[in-house]
């Protein structure tokens, strides 16, 4: 099992756009280790002869026609009703790129 | 004390016009006011429940399956116009714009929603301790926890704050609290009940299910909830059965397996003995009870961990992006 370093945690947090405190990174390092330990358990099993399974109930992809379901469509006001900031009927979210 | 009744009892009283919907709802609401401060089983209580009950009593139609039945719902089911938090402050002021299919079916059957129940935040837990709205207590012993994540629904049901309740399960979140609180919890097969409008945890695993006072009530509610939903493509095309018609029959010749590997060495004898005893009871009733071998459950847990954490991360990240960036300022 590859060891997860604190640098890994900080790197992953950066990729996920999460700000984490020093104490949190220690906690997350431990939790990451726990998750990877579970993955390692599965490595102990020989699955060479087992067919791949997507889901235990055998669900299949379901497609539908590209038809608008008016019952389900939210009005613009309803769609924006939980938003903090709106402008001209749009959600306002923080900018992704710097302006310079 | 009409709040102590189960669905079937209330339904029969309504049918014979022996009690009004207002009376039943009032007894639940009064009991909530009295015991909920000790149990913290709710995130939000429906202040309009009594008005809705009064309206019901004025209606003429009374033959729908859950007409006037006061019910509580885990707070991860979207309820139109009624706050839904999933027990997380992130959603403290979130007012859904539409109902979950489960909620629509319950309301369509005539139920009255008394409130939304406490849970582990985002359903992440098995104890209801991680809620941002207080820790739910086990009604049998306030120093103990009710199990989770549907702990609020189980505690509310067994303490008679409602007639019945709804929970949801990804891995034990219905059956666990039901067992810890001593009520009936039913986890349907994945796809039997629609997940539309349920704040997701693991989309390929989540199952809504009833937590009730009797086995009959669980079968009865499943009849209402089960079935294809065009809004959840993973719901099964198989038509639901009249589950209550299977109740009360002989179990002679029925084959029942007890998974040997699940009787773990670290299991407390007071639990293990009762599982074995339950097998004996079924055997005495004529069932063929066999101890069967399964794959070591640690592999199931490992599989689950990988699938659940991946799916959950994706969903939570989506929530964070859509919610945190546009959220109204959380209340202090």
């Amino acid at each position: 099992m590859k060891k997860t370093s604190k640098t890994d945690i900080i790197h992953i947090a950066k990729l996920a756009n999460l700000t984490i405190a020093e104490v949190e990174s220690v906690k997350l390092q431990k939790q990451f280790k726990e998750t990877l330990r579970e993955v390692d358990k599965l490595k102990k099993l020989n699955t060479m002869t087992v067919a791949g399974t997507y889901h235990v109930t055998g669900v299949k992809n379901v497609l539908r026609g590209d038809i608008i379901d008016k019952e389900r469509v939210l009005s613009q006001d309803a769609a924006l009703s939980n938003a903090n900031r709106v402008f001209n009927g749009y959600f306002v979210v923080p900018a992704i790129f710097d302006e310079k | 004390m009409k709040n102590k009744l189960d669905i079937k009892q209330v339904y029969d009283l309504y049918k014979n016009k022996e009690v009004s919907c207002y009376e039943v709802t009032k007894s639940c609401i009064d009991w909530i006011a009295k015991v909920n401060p000790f149990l913290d089983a709710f995130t939000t209580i429906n202040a309009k429940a009594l008005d809705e009950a009064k309206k019901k009593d004025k209606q003429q139609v009374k033959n729908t399956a859950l007409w006037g039945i006061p019910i509580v719902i885990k707070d991860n089911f979207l309820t139109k116009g009624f706050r839904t938090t999933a027990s997380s402050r992130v959603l403290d002021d979130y007012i859904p714009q539409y109902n979950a299919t489960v909620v629509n079916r319950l309301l369509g059957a005539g139920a009255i929603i008394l409130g939304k129940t406490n849970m582990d935040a985002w359903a992440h837990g098995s104890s209801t301790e991680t809620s941002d709205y207080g820790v739910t207590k086990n009604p049998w012993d306030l120093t103990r926890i009710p199990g989770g994540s549907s702990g609020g629904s189980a505690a509310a049901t067994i303490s008679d704050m409602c007639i019945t309740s709804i929970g949801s399960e990804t891995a034990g979140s219905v059956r666990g609290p039901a067992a810890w609180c001593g009520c009936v919890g039913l986890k349907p097969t994945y796809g039997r009940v629609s997940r539309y409008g349920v704040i997701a945890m693991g989309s390929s695993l989540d199952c809504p299910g009833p937590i009730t006072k009797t086995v009959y009530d669980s079968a009865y509610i499943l009849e209402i909830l089960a079935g294809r939903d065009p809004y959840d493509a993973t719901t099964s095309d198989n038509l639901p059965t009249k589950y209550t018609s299977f109740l009360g029959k002989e179990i002679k010749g029925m084959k029942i397996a007890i998974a040997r590997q699940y009787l773990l060495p670290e299991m407390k004898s007071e639990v293990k003995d009762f599982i074995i005893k339950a097998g004996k009871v079924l055997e005495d009733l004529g069932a063929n009870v066999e101890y069967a071998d399964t794959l070591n459950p640690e592999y199931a847990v490992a599989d689950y961990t990988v699938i659940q954490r991946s799916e959950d991360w994706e969903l939570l990240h989506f929530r964070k992006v859509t919610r945190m960036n546009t959220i109204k300022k959380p209340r202090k």
Side-chain angles (χ1 to χ4, degrees), chain A residues 82-99:
Chain A
N82 280 297
N84 181 26
R85 289 174 63 203
V86 290
F87 180 74
N88 279 352
Y90 290 97
F91 288 99
V92 178
V93 296
I96 299 171
F97 301 109
D98 288 334
E99 292 210 5

Side-chain angles (χ1 to χ4, degrees), chain B residues 54-201:
Chain B
K54 269 185 207 162
K55 255 187 228 160
K56 288 262 181 219
D57 281 325
K58 281 181 197 150
Q59 284 173 3
Q60 291 304 309
V61 198
K62 295 193 177 184
N63 54 0
T64 52
L66 290 176
W67 186 89
I69 303 287
I71 191 168
V72 297
I73 300 177
K74 189 179 182 181
D75 206 16
N76 59 347
F77 288 84
L78 302 193
T79 39
K80 189 177 177 179
F82 193 81
R83 185 171 86 136
T84 300
T85 69
S87 283
S88 166
R89 287 274 177 213
V90 171
L91 299 180
D92 191 56
D93 62 353
Y94 175 50
I95 311 289
Q97 302 96 327
Y98 61 97
N99 280 329
T101 295
V102 163
V103 172
N104 265 341
R105 289 196 178 181
L106 294 169
L107 291 175
I112 290 181
I113 298 172
L114 295 177
K116 305 292 288 293
T117 54
N118 209 354
M119 54 188 278
D120 281 295
W122 305 104
H124 294 168
S126 310
S127 65
T128 319
E129 288 168 297
T130 62
S131 167
D132 288 345
Y133 298 86
V135 178
T136 302
K137 279 72 164 188
N138 193 312
W140 296 102
D141 178 349
L142 299 182
T143 65
R144 296 176 191 236
I145 49 174
S149 61
S150 311
S153 288
T157 303
I158 205 63
S159 63
D160 293 316
M161 289 196 274
C162 57
I163 302 302
T164 197
S165 73
I166 300 292
S168 73
E169 164 151 349
T170 307
S173 281
V174 162
R175 289 167 294 173
W180 289 36
C181 291
C183 30
V184 180
L186 177 67
K187 181 220 169 276
T189 307
Y190 179 84
R192 184 71 294 178
V193 177
S194 168
R195 294 174 293 109
Y196 181 69
V198 183
I199 294 175
M201 175 168 164

